């Protein structure tokens, strides 16, 4: 259990570093961000393996349900990473890249807004585009409640790659903090919602990587709309303890969104 | 101030000049004091260096296409072998390499017919006789002029430059590519290594350092963030993506942690002067490799193993990303590298023994013997031992050069 806490902490720190690297002088340092993304990926794997160690079965069932929405091309990518548990326990990148691809297709079919997490294998271009699209998105989310105050450290960031980099600013990060904050509160109010949340994580990862891809196409306005719709739900909750079933649902989403940026952040380059 | 932080140091081949680059883009060259007063007690040279010349090598720049600032910090300086009275050095920031000519002038012509001493044109009617201008000694002036600017060769951040033994070419390496330049040609360079994947998603390692072999002009080595070294032979093909030899040590599974990849990244690689060995530095160790043996190093020296349990906090405060350099002495019998708390480590290759020394600013007497220090890691604690938790991680010795004598 303590591994999970440690992994979580390392993930937050890593995301903070990626975020900060976007605003530092001299552009993104490819080497450092690559190393940070490797750490992030390892931590995430440990974290998710801890998280899902008890819920493999549930995850699998949920995933079946989610799969119905996805296209065939996506479906064929599913088998290699059938369960969250498998995915987490394996350290193979191919699986993760499949995840992200899966996520990509999945998103197109999904109305739900997912945050810009990408799976660890997203592309640099993705991150860049994410960054640019996130900037606008971030503005939307920045208006969300107070939790944003101490955020920047924890926000997952999409690191822009030095290479194709024209990404503007760190706005994407402000986007993240609210989610991070909410995730905490979501976790606190977890108890009854856990199974639901767990399964959601599985799908959200996929969705988030999709988001990464989608941003790749710079569909900023669509993103804003999508985020807007989902954020309205988040806004109303304002990180408060959920009481109703649907609020629990939203908390799940929040938590998932939080997880997603972390996986996405790795791919910045 | 931040701009004064030294980011690179390099002796020239004779050791009488020491060049330093800083984060503000300036290069300061120091020259060794020679005994000129004729005091008989001091034999040889004093070991003190005084400022010889200072110049602004790089300015902050801006990449308009990518909306990125380009730092003026000098990443590396390398001296060219001396061919005449003038000296040449290469300095590089993240993107641009410059060749500088450092020359002395200690004479000036005096006695012009048409100009007076201040350079003003004389009234011709006042000239009654002609004379030949003569060279008169004057105060030493050091002139530094940029002779070549090698720009636009790199998309990523340049981390190394290395002058070839052929005296005509040099290489520059960034995160994903190594280019070879001719010292006289600035509008072209050859790309000799390119590890950029077709899909950046697949990126798993970057180039961290590169160096030409000291004798063989066709060989060079580059190190990667995964801890591997690749020796390349330029005679094999134009593009040396395929290495001739690859040196790597399998990871110890018992030491696996979140940070295993970071601490195995090689921060510096240096050929021995003999050309037979390679010295590499990763976060916790220095390793000596024999070019004839690819499967593992012939020597591994622990620099600060006591930090292994602190990797997480070092990750938090970014110290785990510090890039330490390593150097050989002139006879390849001792290797040296830096650490924290102003300590640095020297290892004797024959005995394998290491010593910790402190770079102590206060005892700045020339030729003062530095004190040996110890880190307390358990067992009997002696007076003067420093505890691991009291190490000052802001005082880090990253850059070093060994005098060629």
């Amino acid at each position: 259990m303590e591994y999970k806490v440690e992994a979580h902490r390392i993930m937050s720190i890593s995301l903070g570093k990626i975020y900060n690297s976007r605003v530092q002088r001299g552009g993104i340092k490819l080497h450092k961000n690559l190393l940070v993304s490797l750490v992030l990926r390892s931590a995430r794997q440990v974290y998710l393996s801890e998280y899902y160690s008890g819920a493999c079965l549930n995850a699998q069932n949920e995933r079946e349900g989610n799969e119905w929405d996805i296209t065939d091309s996506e479906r064929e990518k599913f088998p290699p990473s059938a369960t969250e548990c498998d995915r987490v326990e394996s350290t193979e990148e191919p699986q993760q890249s499949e995840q992200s691809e899966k996520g990509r297709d999945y998103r197109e079919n999904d109305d739900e807004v997912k945050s810009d997490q990408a799976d660890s294998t997203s592309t640099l271009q993705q991150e860049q585009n994410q960054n640019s699209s996130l900037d606008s998105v971030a503005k939307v989310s920045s208006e969300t409640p107070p939790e944003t105050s101490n955020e920047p450290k924890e926000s997952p960031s999409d690191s822009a790659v030095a290479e194709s980099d024209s990404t503007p600013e760190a706005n994407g990060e402000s986007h993240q903090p609210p989610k991070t904050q909410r995730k905490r509160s979501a976790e606190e109010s977890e108890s009854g919602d856990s199974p639901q949340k767990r399964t959601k994580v599985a799908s959200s990862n996929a969705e988030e990587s999709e988001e990464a891809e989608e941003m790749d196409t710079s569909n900023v306005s669509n993103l804003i709309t999508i985020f807007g719709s989902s954020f309205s739900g988040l806004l109303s909750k304002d990180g408060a303890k959920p009481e109703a079933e649907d609020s629990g649902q939203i908390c799940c989403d929040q938590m998932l969104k939080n997880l997603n940026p972390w996986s996405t952040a790795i791919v910045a380059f | 101030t931040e701009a004064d932080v030294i980011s690179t140091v390099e002796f020239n081949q004779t050791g009488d000049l020491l060049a330093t680059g800083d984060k503000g883009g300036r290069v300061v060259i120091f020259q060794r004091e020679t005994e000129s007063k004729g005091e008989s007690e001091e034999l040889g040279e004093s070991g003190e260096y005084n400022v010889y010349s200072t110049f602004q090598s790089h300015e902050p720049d801006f990449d308009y296409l990518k909306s990125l600032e380009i730092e003026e910090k000098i990443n590396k300086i390398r001296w060219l072998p001396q061919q005449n009275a003038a000296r040449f050095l290469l300095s590089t920031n993240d993107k641009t390499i410059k060749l500088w000519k450092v020359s002395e002038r200690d004479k000036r012509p005096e006695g012009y017919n048409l100009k007076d001493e201040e350079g003003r044109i004389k009234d011709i009617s006042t000239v009654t006789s002609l004379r030949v201008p003569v060279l008169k000694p004057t105060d030493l002036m050091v002139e530094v002029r940029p002779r070549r600017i090698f720009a636009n060769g790199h998309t990523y951040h340049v981390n190394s430059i290395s002058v070839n033994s052929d005296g005509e070419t040099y290489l520059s390496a960034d995160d994903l590519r190594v280019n070879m330049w001719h010292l006289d040609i600035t509008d072209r360079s050859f790309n000799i290594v390119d590890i950029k994947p077709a899909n950046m998603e697949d990126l798993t390692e970057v180039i961290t350092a590169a160096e030409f072999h000291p004798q063989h002009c066709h060989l060079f080595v580059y190190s990667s963030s995964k801890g591997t070294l690749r020796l390349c032979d330029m005679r094999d093909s134009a593009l040396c993506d395929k290495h001739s030899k690859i040196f790597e040590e399998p990871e110890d599974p018992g030491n696996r942690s979140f940070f295993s990849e970071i601490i195995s990244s090689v921060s510096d690689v240096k050929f021995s002067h003999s050309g037979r060995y390679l010295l590499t530095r990763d976060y916790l160790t220095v390793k000596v490799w024999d070019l004839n043996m690819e499967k593992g190093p012939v020597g591994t020296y622990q620099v600060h193993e006591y930090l292994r349990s602190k990797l997480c906090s070092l990750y938090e405060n970014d110290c785990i990303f510090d890039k330490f350099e390593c150097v050989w002495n002139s006879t390849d019998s001792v290797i040296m590298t830096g650490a924290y708390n102003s300590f640095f480590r020297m290892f004797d290759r024959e005995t394998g023994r290491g010593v910790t020394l402190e770079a102590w600013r206060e005892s700045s007497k020339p030729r003062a013997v530095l004190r040996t220090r110890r880190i307390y890691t358990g067992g009997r604690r002696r007076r003067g031992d420093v505890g691991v938790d009291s190490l000052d991680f802001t005082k880090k010795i990253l850059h070093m050069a060994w005098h060629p004598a």
Side-chain angles (χ1 to χ4, degrees), chain A residues 225-267:
Chain A
T225 320
I226 294 167
F227 273 99
S229 57
S230 64
F231 271 114
S232 55
L234 296 173
L235 283 166
S236 59
K237 288 315 153 184
D238 206 16
K241 267 181 162 260
E243 295 142 10
E245 182 64 22
D246 51 353
S247 57
Q249 180 77 22
I250 292 171
C251 282
C252 294
D253 296 340
Q254 295 169 353
M255 193 176 60
L256 296 172
K257 290 183 175 67
N258 291 333
L259 282 176
N260 284 337
W262 298 336
S263 40
T264 316
I266 296 171
V267 186

Side-chain angles (χ1 to χ4, degrees), chain B residues 61-201:
Chain B
D61 203 349
F62 199 79
D63 181 336
Y64 297 97
L65 192 62
K66 299 175 188 168
S67 295
L68 282 181
E69 247 190 297
I70 300 173
E71 275 191 294
E72 66 277 25
K73 171 169 75 88
I74 308 296
N75 292 334
K76 280 289 185 306
I77 290 175
R78 290 287 181 262
W79 290 93
L80 265 54
Q82 189 170 11
Q83 289 174 326
N84 51 38
R87 334 264 197 151
F88 290 86
L89 63 81
L90 287 168
S91 66
T92 184
N93 68 347
D94 282 340
K95 297 285 183 194
T96 304
I97 305 126
K98 295 187 183 180
L99 177 69
W100 296 89
K101 178 178 177 182
V102 182
S103 49
E104 289 183 4
R105 187 194 289 195
D106 61 354
K107 296 184 180 46
R108 51 176 286 220
E110 282 181 23
Y112 283 102
N113 293 293
L114 299 177
K115 293 188 293 191
D116 65 17
E117 293 312 309
E118 279 83 42
R120 289 185 296 244
I121 307 287
K122 279 185 187 172
D123 181 0
I124 296 198
S125 56
T126 63
V127 178
T128 52
S129 62
L130 292 177
R131 55 193 173 157
V132 177
V134 289
L135 290 174
K136 292 251 171 79
T138 152
D139 293 335
L140 180 65
M141 257 189 355
V142 180
E143 291 180 325
V144 182
R145 274 199 280 263
R147 301 296 293 187
R148 306 268 188 275
I149 299 191
F150 303 92
N152 302 317
H154 290 278
T155 308
Y156 301 93
H157 296 323
V158 175
N159 52 56
S160 319
I161 48 176
S162 174
V163 183
N164 204 348
S165 52
D166 67 7
E168 291 183 344
T169 56
Y170 74 95
L171 65 76
S172 58
D174 66 27
D175 291 320
L176 296 179
R177 299 192 176 101
V178 180
N179 291 338
M180 188 169 90
W181 305 79
H182 191 284
L183 284 164
D184 291 336
I185 299 171
T186 59
D187 61 353
R188 267 171 300 169
S189 76
F190 285 106
N191 175 241
I192 50 179
V193 174
D194 187 340
I195 63 167
K196 180 168 178 241
N199 187 355
M200 279 301 260
E201 263 193 48

Side-chain angles (χ1 to χ4, degrees), chain B residues 6 8-12 15-22 26-32 49-57 77-79 87-91 100-104 142-145:
Chain B
I6 289 179
T8 184
V9 291
E10 182 81 349
F11 279 105
N12 71 337
D16 67 305
L17 292 181
L18 174 66
T20 64
D22 65 20
R26 274 184 316 254
V27 171
V28 181
I29 304 178
F30 296 86
Q31 186 181 43
R32 189 166 194 178
Y49 283 73
N50 293 327
V51 177
Y52 177 70
S53 174
T54 304
F55 61 96
Q56 187 74 32
S57 169
I77 290 175
R78 290 287 181 262
W79 290 93
R87 334 264 197 151
F88 290 86
L89 63 81
L90 287 168
S91 66
W100 296 89
K101 178 178 177 182
V102 182
S103 49
E104 289 183 4
V142 180
E143 291 180 325
V144 182
R145 274 199 280 263

Side-chain angles (χ1 to χ4, degrees), chain B residues 290-304:
Chain B
D290 186 324
L291 282 187
N292 302 314
M293 189 169 99
E294 296 170 64
K295 66 177 196 296
V298 295
T300 301
Y301 305 85
Q302 303 295 333
V303 179
H304 38 205

Side-chain angles (χ1 to χ4, degrees), chain A residues 6 9-10 13-14 17 25-32 34-36 38-39 42-43 46 93 121-124 162-163 165-166 269, chain B residues 60 65-66 68-69 71-72 156-157 175-176 196 199-201 203-206 208 225 258-259 261-262 265 312 315-316 318 321 323:
Chain A
E6 178 76 359
R9 196 168 133 255
I10 290 176
I13 294 168
S14 303
K17 287 190 193 302
R25 263 191 99 211
I28 309 289
K29 296 199 179 1
L30 184 63
H31 184 202
K32 180 174 177 185
L34 177 67
L35 294 175
V36 170
L38 291 174
V39 171
S42 310
V46 168
E93 291 174 27
T121 51
S122 344
T123 57
L124 289 160
E163 173 189 29
D165 227 354
S166 43
F269 297 102
Chain B
L65 192 62
K66 299 175 188 168
L68 282 181
E69 247 190 297
E71 275 191 294
E72 66 277 25
Y156 301 93
H157 296 323
D175 291 320
L176 296 179
K196 180 168 178 241
N199 187 355
M200 279 301 260
E201 263 193 48
L203 181 73
T204 53
E205 67 182 324
V206 296
T208 52
S225 55
F258 287 124
F259 311 104
E261 285 108 346
I262 301 187
S265 174
C312 193
Y315 178 71
E316 273 183 83
D318 270 359
F321 299 105
K323 297 197 180 159

